[in-house]
Amino acid sequence: IKFKIAQGGAQIGINDVAASRVSIGDVSRDPLPTDPKGLVFYPIARYAICVVTNKSNTLANLTPSQLVSVFTGKTRSWAQVPGATASGTIDLISRTSVAGVLTSFQTLLLAGKKVSPLASELSSEGLLRQAVENDPNGIGFLSNYQAGLGALNSVGYNGVPCSQATVTSGQYAGIARFYEVTKGKAAGAAAAFIGWIEASAAARKIIASQWIPIK
């Protein structure tokens, strides 16, 4: 099996597989009622969505109400956030609207509310991570794998750290899933590849190196 890989965000993957432009879409959010009909979602891994700040801002925890207030733009100053060591205006950093991690973040940790339009929007997790690394007043959200890279401070949610251990145990609230998505039931090479992901010990080892296997 050979691969040609494109990128652009979860919604791009959904749209491309629905239009038969690709064989498989890689998606980091659950199915939505607004998704095109006839798609089949195959869950392959779980991951945590971690709130992150610059390493100089050693904020340890946000309560649910504090997190909502910060990311919806109601709280604009670090002085209003208990435990924050930054000062000045909070710089919100988010993903673009096509990103599945944004949809999952808003569903799981923002009680269905939207991230404030004041937020800077970046097209990839790597760019968001770099932006927070370079901004002492920055705050954003990343998958646990990306949150563990580079110089960031991972913020606990409601007293529970965001880590692979708390995701595995089910303690952490912000647990999302990765999917392989096909138009109709997977067939041919796509079915073979997805079947390998679901059943292979090698695939499970790869998943476990960064995320959490489904089974």
Side-chain angles (χ1 to χ4, degrees):
I1 297 175
K2 295 182 179 179
F3 298 89
K4 181 179 180 181
I5 301 174
Q7 60 183 343
Q11 192 59 49
I12 301 298
I14 290 285
N15 294 343
D16 282 353
V17 78
S20 300
R21 288 188 288 267
V22 298
S23 305
I24 300 173
D26 292 329
V27 176
S28 53
R29 62 156 173 82
D30 288 338
L32 296 175
T34 53
D35 287 334
K37 303 301 182 185
L39 301 183
V40 179
F41 284 67
Y42 297 88
I44 60 167
R46 293 176 293 153
Y47 69 100
I49 301 173
C50 304
V51 175
V52 293
T53 58
N54 185 274
K55 66 176 182 179
S56 66
N57 182 7
T58 55
L59 177 63
N61 182 70
L62 286 170
T63 66
S65 61
Q66 288 170 342
L67 188 146
V68 168
S69 185
V70 167
F71 277 93
T72 58
K74 183 177 179 180
T75 298
R76 295 295 301 129
S77 172
W78 282 116
Q80 298 173 275
V81 182
T85 54
S87 60
T89 302
I90 296 171
D91 294 337
L92 294 176
I93 305 172
S94 182
R95 294 290 308 282
T96 56
S97 61
V98 297
V101 69
L102 170 61
T103 301
S104 295
F105 175 69
Q106 292 177 153
T107 300
L108 296 169
L109 298 179
L110 282 193
K113 296 179 173 61
K114 301 291 186 182
V115 171
S116 169
L118 295 170
S120 302
E121 295 185 353
L122 299 176
S123 60
S124 73
E125 288 216 313
L127 290 174
L128 192 151
R129 174 170 51 82
Q130 292 171 16
V132 177
E133 285 176 343
N134 294 327
D135 184 353
N137 286 349
I139 187 169
F141 51 90
L142 293 167
S143 67
N144 58 288
Y145 170 68
Q146 284 285 341
L149 300 175
L152 295 171
N153 172 64
S154 185
V155 182
Y157 176 76
N158 207 25
V160 179
C162 183
S163 67
Q164 191 154 330
T166 59
V167 176
T168 303
S169 68
Q171 291 174 279
Y172 187 71
I175 301 174
R177 294 193 290 183
F178 287 123
Y179 295 86
E180 302 284 70
V181 181
T182 58
K183 185 177 182 179
K185 187 176 180 181
F193 179 60
I194 293 171
W196 176 81
I197 294 174
E198 293 175 330
S200 166
R204 184 181 179 88
K205 184 177 180 180
I206 292 168
I207 291 168
S209 70
Q210 299 181 2
W211 305 295
I212 312 297
I214 292 291
K215 300 177 182 178

